[in-house]
Amino acid sequence: MKLPLLSSATALMLILFVSGCGYVSTSDYLNHIKTITISPIEIQDPDFTFDTSGNPHDEIIRDALIDRFNQKWRDGNDSQLDVIILDYHLEPYRYDANNQPEQLRMSLEIEYEFRDQVQNKVIDRRDNYFQIHDFYIVAGQGEPPETLEEAQKRLVDELVDDFYSTLAEQW
């Protein structure tokens, strides 16, 4: 008995169908989580306690995280996110021809833990997560200059977006 030959395209499709391309979806991994608690943010660096208007950064960051994570989960105890701001730095990053700063780098060193309270396990934990925002303080560099207040707001916005993307959308 002679077996029919498969075309290379048919054989490839058969292999992909049988093997599933090795792709495993993790979208249902946290399907049992419907709620999240975001603990009060702890800030250990006094230089980042308040924004330039005198508003406490811990409340600003926590409120922004709650607003963002509420897009997926409501307030509750299925999961918990704890965030500690360990260190804040603001330093010149790029200089002009006269050795004057034209761009600054603002960074936060963060420790966080995201826990699944339903299954009592840590989903993600980092001891030295860095959030960095580079910004110009002079015009004519291809990007508009930012004030310290604008840069801090963007740093917080980028942090919230990154946390949401990493911890909520990934799954």
Side-chain angles (χ1 to χ4, degrees):
M1 171 187 229
K2 190 173 184 181
L3 295 173
L5 292 175
L6 299 175
S7 73
S8 59
T10 305
L12 180 61
M13 287 177 47
L14 181 61
I15 290 170
L16 292 176
F17 177 74
V18 172
S19 71
C21 301
Y23 174 76
V24 177
S25 171
T26 58
S27 61
D28 291 337
Y29 181 65
L30 296 179
N31 201 30
H32 63 283
I33 291 180
K34 306 288 186 222
T35 63
I36 186 170
T37 296
I38 298 176
S39 301
I41 308 298
E42 180 183 340
I43 298 179
Q44 295 183 348
D45 189 328
D47 293 335
F48 197 69
T49 304
F50 298 98
D51 69 8
T52 57
S53 299
N55 300 312
H57 268 123
D58 59 344
E59 292 177 14
I60 293 168
I61 295 169
R62 183 169 186 256
D63 289 346
L65 285 167
I66 289 169
D67 288 346
R68 183 63 188 231
F69 276 82
N70 279 344
Q71 293 177 5
K72 182 168 183 153
W73 300 307
R74 63 186 193 284
D75 187 38
N77 295 320
D78 291 352
S79 62
Q80 181 168 331
L81 176 61
D82 299 322
V83 178
I84 301 171
I85 308 289
L86 302 171
D87 201 11
Y88 167 76
H89 283 286
L90 178 65
E91 57 195 7
Y93 182 62
R94 185 173 292 162
Y95 296 88
D96 65 13
N98 296 322
N99 207 25
Q100 296 298 312
E102 62 184 15
Q103 187 177 28
L104 301 179
R105 170 166 281 177
M106 184 180 290
S107 64
L108 294 174
E109 181 181 1
I110 301 164
E111 179 179 304
Y112 73 86
E113 183 174 88
F114 183 46
R115 285 190 305 278
D116 179 339
Q117 304 284 72
V118 175
Q119 296 180 355
N120 195 28
K121 65 181 182 179
V122 174
I123 298 168
D124 195 11
R125 180 183 188 341
R126 298 270 305 265
D127 292 333
N128 60 344
Y129 179 87
F130 285 91
Q131 187 69 43
I132 297 170
H133 177 66
D134 297 333
F135 62 101
Y136 288 99
I137 56 175
V138 297
Q141 300 300 316
E143 294 179 25
E146 294 180 36
T147 65
L148 187 59
E149 182 176 1
E150 292 168 333
Q152 284 182 347
K153 182 177 179 349
R154 290 202 46 190
L155 179 71
V156 169
D157 290 346
E158 291 168 2
L159 172 69
V160 169
D161 288 346
D162 287 353
F163 269 24
Y164 183 79
S165 175
T166 299
L167 301 176
E169 288 183 345
Q170 173 180 345
W171 312 105

